[in-house]
Amino acid sequence: IPGGDCTRGCTTRGKLHWWGKGLGDAECTALASYLTTTHGELHNGGRVQNLLLGSNDLGDECAEALAVSAAVGALSGLRSLGLSRNKLTNRGCSAVARSLRHMPDLRDLFLSKQADVGDA
């Protein structure tokens, strides 16, 4: 998605801000696969630092795919991960939690307002 002021729907050096773009698990899984293949490098040469995917239709499959990318080091430079207002359950949130050790630079994690997360 081409650049802009990067408040919504843009890709700039190190940033993927795709809030509210109607993305589902298939698109997220493809993105995670791309990031794994490129070791987190974006097409514009920057390493992904901000991955903001809130207000989409992302579920546990997306969270698990991102966790796999993190486990192989593709998200090691990530500073901000936004997954708020999606459809994660406890399973997806747990996958994200397990992957945190692979994201040492992460400072901001947004997981609020999921469709079905309990107090487990």
Side-chain angles (χ1 to χ4, degrees):
I1 297 174
D5 69 2
C6 225
T7 56
R8 277 186 166 213
C10 68
T11 302
T12 62
R13 189 169 182 87
K15 297 179 183 179
L16 293 175
H17 290 197
W18 293 350
W19 286 85
K21 293 297 180 184
L23 303 177
D25 283 333
E27 292 85 4
C28 181
T29 300
L31 172 62
S33 177
Y34 171 81
L35 292 172
T36 298
T37 301
T38 64
H39 304 287
E41 294 290 328
L42 300 176
H43 72 281
N44 59 12
R47 190 162 172 86
V48 67
Q49 295 175 357
N50 297 299
L51 181 56
L52 305 179
L53 303 172
S55 295
N56 282 294
D57 293 315
L58 307 177
D60 296 336
E61 188 177 329
C62 169
E64 290 169 344
L66 291 173
V68 168
S69 292
V72 297
L75 302 179
S76 62
L78 201 63
R79 292 183 186 161
S80 183
L81 176 59
L83 294 170
S84 296
R85 297 179 186 267
N86 278 294
K87 297 179 178 178
L88 300 181
T89 67
N90 288 340
R91 189 178 100 216
C93 290
S94 293
V96 172
R98 285 190 305 273
S99 70
L100 292 176
R101 65 187 167 118
H102 302 292
M103 297 182 275
D105 294 336
L106 192 70
R107 298 296 176 257
D108 297 308
L109 175 61
F110 305 100
L111 287 172
S112 66
K113 301 191 184 206
Q114 298 300 327
D116 189 23
V117 174
D119 292 331

